[in-house]
Amino acid sequence: MQKIRIDPIRRYSGWRIRIQFDSTDLDTLFKIRSLPNWDYSKDEDAWYCPVRHDIISKLKEWDMPVPSSLEMILSRRKKIVETKIADKLPANLYPFQREGVEFIEMRNGRVLIADEMGLGKTVQALSWLQMHPEKRPVLIICPASLKINWMRETLKWVHDANVEIISGSAIKEIKGNIVIINYDILWVWLNELRRLSPEVIIIDECHYIKSNSARRTKATKMIAKSVNHIIALSGTPIVNRPAEFYNAIKLISPNLFPNELAFLRQYCNPKFTGFGWDYSGCSNAKELHKILVSSIMIRRLKKDVLKELPAKIRSIIPVSISNRREYNFAEKSLIAFIQEAKGSEAARKALKAESLIRMNTLKQLASAGKINSVKQWIKDFLNVENKLVIFCVHRNIIDTLMEEFKDIAVKIDGSCSQQQRQMAIDRFQNDENTKLFIGNIRAAGVGITLTASSYVAFIELPWTPGELLQAEDRCHRIGQNKTVNIYYIISENTIEDKMMQIIDLKQENLSLILDGNLPARETLLTELIRSYVPDFDEIKEEDKNQ
């Protein structure tokens, strides 16, 4: 072997690995050029690489003379990072989430967070943004159904956030320092987003940019070309569908797998179909996993961090509605009715009964307006996880979802016989191809076991919040060995929003609230009326005096 010299050198960008060898040694040359993020100094005739675990491991694998000082630099750097971020992170992060933020910091904001669904990838990315208020503007690219959720989470976790959501195709000046846009309109806004010159891009559900021919992929690549920090998020197991992640990996670390065809041949189990090559498979998964976790990726499963997690994790997924004009008209009618009730004794007596009817109308409008977003959310979920339990209130919503997912779904509502109920439960529990259980909250919310899934989604809210807890526990029962994730898909700025504020899902002691006194139907209805008309207490006082 030719003589090779490897030593750590402090340069303007920090510590680097300097590698010097005889340039006629082509074998060593090709190996060094396969390392990520290398650069060559012609003046010194030396190659430079970052001081990273994956690079050091490669050099050792090639039996090159790696000095122990490189490992010491890594260890010292980790301690510095831990100290640096200790006082900057929210106290309510779980230990594994703090570790995730440290990982982002160690890799200078160029990472793939691939934690299993429900472990808080969004929180980790936003906590890193909170640590670095100097890194603005920020562009967050996500599916349309998640834009409102990203806005709310950003406002919660990032103190200096001037959040702007981009919608539609009417181009205007961007004024926010944290900008949220969905994949579908990325191409339309391409020039404006390039002028934005973001310091950070967060690519949520990054498998959306799997196709090189798709406009969303082309636009993402063009915007990210000169961006310093790229954080990609996805809970989809990369070891199952490596081809979907090549573009995200390439954006984060261009030299990790510089040749796409070589990547596809090595890790995507290529098969010739007679019409062309199919790269949808997976091969050499352990090798790929080892390379990714030693370089750009962090992935934790629930079973890995189970002791750190509560028995249940509840999340609100806010979505917009498509029938806003119709909903607003009905809402104004409700408010006008409540206000008029103050002037008539008969109307006051009928207030609650009539309000309940009108509020049920609002609930149905809110549900109908979000149904397309709900369908897309379910499809996105099933790209990541295997099974999901869904609870609804109205039969038309159940029927709509059953029609959309009829090949993979079962249902229980008031129309089902006992035999049909048991068949639906058995199929969901035992048939791997039955991925969705769709149930009416009253008909399916008690007395059954659905532990084949640890994920529950509420599409509609009942009048009695105690029913929510009962329904959640269809998955959270004996036989369940995972943390149960519960999602409330809520129509933004509607009666559902108001109901959630009253139930107060954001509090950590939700179970106590639901088990306790809040929440019989009459109490919830009274609180809703008060939320629509601020001086409702005057009405109540008048009623008492009569």
Side-chain angles (χ1 to χ4, degrees):
M1 178 184 287
Q2 297 286 339
K3 185 177 180 181
I4 300 172
R5 180 180 176 182
I6 298 176
D7 52 359
I9 296 292
R10 184 185 286 277
R11 305 186 85 194
Y12 62 91
S13 57
W15 284 103
R16 306 278 284 176
I17 302 173
R18 182 173 65 183
I19 308 170
Q20 295 173 302
F21 59 92
D22 187 340
S23 59
T24 61
D25 179 2
L26 297 182
D27 180 56
T28 301
L29 176 64
F30 291 141
K31 286 177 178 176
I32 300 305
R33 290 188 60 152
S34 71
L35 295 173
N37 304 112
W38 56 261
D39 62 77
Y40 174 68
S41 170
K42 187 175 181 181
D43 294 338
E44 300 176 61
D45 191 21
W47 298 77
Y48 285 90
C49 295
V51 181
R52 289 182 1 192
H53 282 293
D54 56 319
I55 294 175
I56 293 172
S57 296
K58 272 293 181 186
L59 296 175
K60 288 181 175 179
E61 183 183 316
W62 296 329
D63 292 323
M64 294 184 181
V66 178
S68 59
S69 55
L70 288 176
E71 297 280 6
M72 292 172 61
I73 290 171
L74 280 178
S75 178
R76 193 160 58 244
R77 182 189 294 168
K78 189 174 190 305
K79 289 181 180 178
I80 292 171
V81 168
E82 289 172 351
T83 304
K84 178 181 176 182
I85 71 175
D87 298 328
K88 294 185 178 181
L89 291 182
N92 55 343
L93 288 183
Y94 292 112
F96 72 88
Q97 292 174 331
R98 295 178 71 88
E99 180 187 352
V101 182
E102 289 173 9
F103 184 86
I104 301 173
E105 182 70 9
M106 285 280 289
R107 282 152 183 80
N108 194 31
R110 298 186 78 93
V111 298
L112 170 59
I113 304 178
D115 288 342
E116 190 175 10
M117 191 171 185
L119 293 185
K121 296 183 289 293
T122 301
V123 169
Q124 293 171 62
L126 292 175
S127 294
W128 187 78
L129 289 186
Q130 169 61 20
M131 279 177 52
H132 291 285
E134 78 282 2
K135 299 185 185 299
R136 302 289 184 271
V138 177
L139 177 65
I140 298 171
I141 306 171
C142 63
S145 60
L146 299 180
K147 287 197 296 186
I148 297 172
N149 188 59
W150 267 103
M151 179 189 70
R152 290 190 176 186
E153 290 297 299
T154 302
L155 292 172
K156 177 181 176 181
W157 293 95
V158 184
H159 298 161
D160 72 327
N162 175 16
V163 183
E164 181 174 0
I165 289 182
I166 303 296
S167 300
S169 56
I171 306 300
K172 60 180 181 180
E173 182 185 357
I174 297 174
K175 297 180 180 179
N177 67 359
I178 298 183
V179 179
I180 302 169
I181 190 169
N182 53 299
Y183 287 99
D184 313 278
I185 60 174
L186 203 56
W187 183 263
V188 177
W189 284 81
L190 176 60
N191 290 334
E192 200 66 27
L193 293 172
R194 291 177 76 181
R195 278 193 288 270
L196 182 68
S197 298
E199 273 286 312
V200 184
I201 292 184
I202 297 175
I203 308 173
D204 190 19
E205 305 295 354
C206 62
H207 50 277
Y208 269 58
I209 59 169
K210 62 184 177 181
S211 171
N212 286 321
S213 60
R215 282 187 168 185
R216 66 177 65 165
T217 304
K218 294 177 181 177
T220 303
K221 287 181 175 179
M222 292 175 74
I223 298 165
K225 195 173 292 184
S226 58
V227 173
N228 292 324
H229 311 287
I230 298 175
I231 302 174
L233 312 178
S234 181
T236 305
I238 291 171
V239 292
N240 293 343
R241 293 179 288 274
E244 294 186 355
F245 292 88
Y246 179 79
N247 284 324
I249 293 169
K250 179 79 170 176
L251 286 177
I252 295 165
S253 181
N255 293 319
L256 187 58
F257 299 108
N259 187 290
E260 182 175 12
L261 186 57
F263 176 90
L264 295 175
R265 286 174 175 169
Q266 180 71 4
Y267 301 113
C268 302
N269 193 22
K271 292 181 180 178
F272 188 69
T273 63
F275 300 96
W277 288 95
D278 177 8
Y279 294 107
S280 61
C282 178
S283 51
N284 302 307
K286 289 184 179 179
E287 176 187 316
L288 176 59
H289 181 80
K290 183 179 178 182
I291 293 172
L292 290 174
V293 297
S294 66
S295 55
I296 64 168
M297 183 178 82
I298 187 167
R299 175 166 172 79
R300 281 75 57 88
L301 307 179
K302 279 193 212 163
K303 64 182 180 66
D304 298 332
V305 297
L306 202 56
K307 292 180 180 178
E308 300 175 23
L309 293 176
K312 296 180 183 179
I313 298 175
R314 297 177 177 89
S315 304
I316 297 175
I317 309 295
V319 297
S320 56
I321 58 174
S322 58
N323 56 348
R324 175 58 65 184
R325 183 175 296 179
E326 183 182 6
Y327 180 89
N328 287 349
F329 180 82
E331 188 175 53
K332 288 177 182 178
S333 174
L334 167 67
I335 295 170
F337 166 75
I338 297 173
Q339 289 173 332
E340 289 169 6
K342 291 179 65 176
S344 162
E345 181 179 347
R348 283 199 302 273
K349 290 180 179 179
L351 176 65
K352 286 188 177 180
E354 179 67 18
S355 294
L356 181 61
I357 294 171
R358 292 174 183 252
M359 285 182 180
N360 272 325
T361 299
L362 288 184
K363 286 178 66 180
Q364 291 186 55
L365 286 171
S367 298
K370 68 180 173 184
I371 194 65
N372 289 333
S373 294
V374 167
K375 290 177 185 177
Q376 187 59 53
W377 185 89
I378 293 171
K379 291 174 184 176
D380 291 340
F381 177 93
L382 293 178
N383 279 331
V384 178
E385 295 294 341
N386 189 43
K387 285 181 182 267
L388 174 66
V389 174
I390 297 171
F391 284 110
C392 309
V393 173
H394 296 101
R395 183 176 295 182
N396 66 310
I397 298 297
I398 294 174
D399 292 343
T400 300
L401 294 178
M402 281 299 298
E403 178 63 27
E404 181 74 19
F405 300 102
K406 55 189 172 186
D407 296 332
I408 58 170
V410 293
K411 75 167 183 177
I412 290 180
D413 61 17
S415 68
C416 296
S417 67
Q418 285 297 320
Q419 184 179 7
Q420 289 172 325
R421 283 170 59 93
Q422 194 57 52
M423 286 177 61
I425 295 167
D426 291 343
R427 274 188 60 192
F428 183 75
Q429 288 287 89
N430 303 315
D431 178 12
E432 63 179 20
N433 295 316
T434 303
K435 299 182 181 300
L436 288 179
F437 177 95
I438 305 172
N440 170 269
I441 288 180
R442 288 194 172 179
V446 294
I448 65 175
T449 296
L450 300 171
T451 49
S453 175
S454 60
Y455 296 94
V456 183
F458 287 92
I459 309 306
E460 300 179 277
L461 298 173
W463 276 111
T464 305
E467 292 176 358
L468 296 174
L469 190 64
Q470 289 278 3
E472 291 176 1
D473 283 347
R474 297 317 92 209
C475 293
H476 189 247
R477 302 174 70 76
I478 294 174
Q480 181 60 265
N481 55 9
K482 298 179 180 178
T483 293
V484 175
N485 283 261
I486 300 135
Y487 301 95
Y488 289 86
I489 304 179
I490 302 300
S491 301
E492 186 192 30
N493 294 328
T494 67
I495 190 172
E496 291 184 343
D497 240 350
K498 292 178 181 291
M499 291 176 74
M500 290 309 295
Q501 290 170 24
I502 294 168
I503 297 170
D504 200 9
L505 254 184
K506 296 178 182 178
Q507 294 191 30
E508 293 180 2
N509 60 346
L510 174 64
S511 294
L512 293 175
I513 294 173
L514 293 180
D515 276 334
N517 300 319
L518 194 91
R521 177 186 206 160
E522 293 302 316
T523 305
L524 187 53
L525 178 60
T526 300
E527 293 296 326
L528 276 170
I529 293 173
R530 182 181 290 114
S531 73
Y532 278 108
V533 178
D535 59 356
F536 174 67
D537 286 330
E538 297 176 16
I539 302 175
K540 289 187 69 180
E541 196 61 37
E542 289 176 18
D543 287 341
K544 286 181 184 178
N545 295 331
Q546 290 188 13

